[in-house]
Amino acid sequence: MNALIVYGSCYGTSQRYAQALSQKTGIPARPFRQVGSLDGVDTLVYIGGLYAGTVMGLKQTLGKLPKEKHPRFLLATVGLGDPAREETVQTIRASLAKQVPEALQKSAVYFHLRGGIDYKVLRPKHKLMMAMFIRFLKKKPRETMDPDTRTMVDTYGGAVDFVDLESLAPLIAQLT
Ligand SMILES: Cc1cc2nc3c(=O)[nH]c(=O)nc-3n(C[C@H](O)[C@H](O)[C@H](O)COP(=O)(O)O)c2cc1C
């Protein structure tokens, strides 16, 4: 098996998952910006942070795959939303349907992991995006907010870390 873990991480949570997975499986892990050709890779694991529904670095990485032969593809998203909620998973999958080419979708296996956020270290662009998003979310009465929205609103300006390396177990099971 010529497998590779590629990750897209702005603040380190996806990187932590990727490095833990690499340690457990012996598969090398690389940040997406350091990946050259993916020729010859027969199992690609992509782990990426969610930014407004988009998986960081995924598009760039999939663009490096050879057109004629698709590898086995395992994709793990890392976000603030709780993947134990069916609605959270449905929302992520709907946006993945637009990011993963049809040919790969057929064989893709998806996993959803929980990340974290620390407003102290956010880039100005991300701070602004979150400020606008929270302002929009707060227009709804609190009682009508779903649990993910409430988490976003309640943690705004602070720091939370939901990273749970044990949640990699189903991914490890697919690779060992
Ligand atoms: C601007 C911005 C947009 C985000 N959008 C989403 C989102 O659409 N869904 C989600 O679950 N989490 C979202 N998050 C939370 C990140 O996915 C979370 O912080 C994740 O752990 C980041 O991964 P990284 O540390 O590997 O960069 C967003 C965070 C920021 C700063």
Side-chain angles (χ1 to χ4, degrees):
M1 180 165 82
N2 185 13
L4 183 65
I5 300 164
V6 182
Y7 59 90
S9 185
C10 196
Y11 300 105
T13 55
S14 307
Q15 181 178 20
R16 277 156 66 197
Y17 280 118
Q19 287 175 343
L21 185 65
S22 174
Q23 257 186 358
K24 296 259 184 220
T25 59
I27 300 169
R30 307 260 177 277
F32 81 96
R33 290 187 212 281
Q34 283 177 24
V35 171
S37 163
L38 289 170
D39 285 2
V41 170
D42 59 22
T43 300
L44 175 66
V45 182
Y46 195 89
I47 303 183
L50 284 169
Y51 288 89
T54 300
V55 184
M56 184 183 174
L58 179 65
K59 192 175 172 196
Q60 293 91 322
T61 304
L62 295 183
K64 290 176 183 162
L65 283 174
K67 300 279 167 281
E68 58 296 342
K69 195 169 175 283
H70 290 300
R72 182 177 168 219
F73 180 51
L74 290 82
L75 171 61
T77 62
V78 180
L80 262 192
D82 182 0
R85 291 182 66 238
E86 203 174 307
E87 296 88 333
T88 308
V89 172
Q90 274 173 9
T91 307
I92 299 171
R93 299 265 171 119
S95 93
L96 289 183
K98 297 179 209 144
Q99 298 171 63
V100 178
E102 253 175 62
L104 263 186
Q105 274 182 37
K106 288 188 193 92
S107 63
V109 187
Y110 297 137
F111 303 85
H112 308 292
L113 307 168
R114 216 166 178 197
I117 197 162
D118 181 353
Y119 282 83
K120 271 200 314 293
V121 300
L122 284 194
R123 294 177 181 180
K125 182 181 100 173
H126 286 162
K127 258 190 194 147
L128 189 66
M129 280 170 76
M130 291 309 282
M132 286 164 55
F133 190 44
I134 298 294
R135 201 179 316 151
F136 166 77
L137 293 178
K138 277 190 165 171
K139 285 186 178 155
K140 273 190 174 184
R142 191 179 164 80
E143 318 77 74
T144 65
M145 291 177 185
D146 66 39
D148 285 343
T149 305
R150 240 176 266 157
T151 302
M152 286 262 189
V153 169
D154 293 348
T155 58
Y156 180 62
V160 270
D161 185 353
F162 296 118
V163 171
D164 172 15
L165 299 179
E166 298 299 317
S167 64
L168 284 169
L171 197 41
I172 294 167
Q174 292 268 335
L175 293 164
T176 49

